[in-house]
Amino acid sequence: MSGAILILSGPSGAGKSTLIHKAEPLIGDYYFSISTTTRKPREGEIEGVDYHFVTKEYFEQEIKEGEFLEYAKVHDNYYGTSLRPVKRALAEDKLVLFDIDVQGHRLAKERFGDIITSVFITPPSYSELKRRLLDRSLDNDEVIQKRLDNALKEIEAISEYDFVIINDDLDRATKEFVYIANSARLKLSKEELSEFVNRWRSS
Ligand code: ADP
Ligand code: 5GP
């Protein structure tokens, strides 16, 4: 494997999907890891594009079969990253983007630590996060409250990340994201570095 992984985390409503979408033409060839979830699709979400939407039983079967690189329960639903497509994209030398929560970030680091760059994305304040979740109008009040409660816990993990983007001005945040994505590509695994050193010594 020779690709690299860029993990984006941050409260639901921080602007992760918006940033990926805006940066898309500027970050070269990448693969967005489509997660599997037991959450119900929101209006406008497409199966196989936003997520693979499955039942709890199906998800638990996939856990048993070792299909996931990582998975976690977030806001009472399962979310997981399938291992196979990620391995394929890495073998094709792609930058693999994960939009996963802070628990998933910890697990992914245990498994692929040396090729991971991570970025925590957050609105400038809790009240702005609330405003965005309400404006987005895609979740009911109870779901929004759960996401806000979870955000208060997630923000504590901010120091575990390589970079932080305060997504206030969207154009500036997009530029920062593009810098981070392009430098994430340059990260080499320990294995690649040791091969380089061997070649370097004997050349
Ligand atoms: P996430 O993928 O992190 O859950 P979204 O990308 O869906 O978040 O963004 C949540 C809402 O905030 C959307 O309605 C989006 O248009 C809005 N948004 C994203 N970035 C900004 C920003 N910099 N300023 C104002 N609103 C934003
Ligand atoms: P949403 O329901 O708003 O799409 O996502 C809720 C949360 O789940 C977000 O914090 C998002 O980053 C996280 N998430 C999405 N996919 C995965 C995944 O595959 N694994 C983990 N651990 N978290 C995920």
Side-chain angles (χ1 to χ4, degrees):
M1 283 189 290
S2 52
I5 293 175
L6 176 58
I7 295 184
L8 289 82
S9 303
S12 182
K16 300 180 294 294
S17 316
T18 308
L19 276 175
I20 295 175
H21 191 67
K22 287 232 355 153
E24 200 163 10
L26 304 167
I27 58 171
D29 196 14
Y30 74 90
Y31 167 76
F32 177 72
S33 164
I34 300 161
S35 298
T36 301
T37 183
T38 57
R39 154 162 97 56
K40 297 275 167 288
R42 291 189 191 115
E43 204 186 313
E45 283 185 328
I46 301 169
E47 158 62 32
V49 175
D50 299 287
Y51 281 105
H52 297 294
F53 296 99
V54 300
T55 60
K56 186 164 169 271
E57 292 68 32
Y58 186 91
F59 197 102
E60 287 174 345
Q61 186 59 32
E62 296 244 298
I63 296 175
K64 276 195 202 134
E65 290 170 10
E67 289 292 324
F68 293 117
L69 183 163
E70 64 74 34
Y71 69 91
K73 239 183 187 174
V74 192
H75 320 129
D76 299 336
N77 285 301
Y78 280 123
Y79 293 80
T81 307
S82 295
L83 185 56
R84 257 180 286 178
V86 170
K87 278 193 161 170
R88 207 178 309 129
L90 289 174
E92 289 168 4
D93 209 13
K94 288 189 174 142
L95 176 67
V96 182
L97 297 189
F98 292 0
D99 172 348
I100 60 177
D101 85 320
V102 300
Q103 308 167 74
H105 170 238
R106 287 181 196 129
L107 295 168
K109 268 214 298 203
E110 279 171 22
R111 199 138 183 195
F112 285 112
D114 61 347
I115 56 165
I116 289 178
T117 301
S118 61
V119 53
F120 192 94
I121 296 168
T122 176
S125 62
Y126 178 78
S127 52
E128 174 62 14
L129 175 67
K130 190 171 182 178
R131 196 189 63 74
R132 285 186 197 171
L133 284 173
L134 291 169
D135 278 6
R136 187 166 72 176
S137 319
L138 287 177
D139 299 301
N140 66 40
D141 289 354
E142 192 194 334
V143 169
I144 288 180
Q145 194 51 51
K146 225 174 243 171
R147 280 156 197 270
L148 286 168
D149 292 345
N150 199 48
L152 292 173
K153 290 187 220 125
E154 283 180 298
I155 195 83
E156 287 172 14
I158 198 166
S159 61
E160 296 171 26
Y161 287 75
D162 298 320
F163 298 101
V164 172
I165 296 179
I166 314 288
N167 179 20
D168 190 355
D169 177 277
L170 187 56
D171 287 334
R172 187 186 43 78
T174 305
K175 264 191 206 147
E176 290 176 359
F177 180 65
V178 170
Y179 286 139
I180 293 167
N182 287 326
S183 53
R185 276 185 195 286
L186 303 176
K187 198 152 184 177
L188 295 173
S189 65
K190 288 196 183 75
E191 200 181 324
E192 285 169 301
L193 286 171
S194 107
E195 277 167 18
F196 172 78
V197 169
N198 289 338
R199 277 201 309 275
W200 189 88
R201 280 190 181 132
S202 59
S203 62

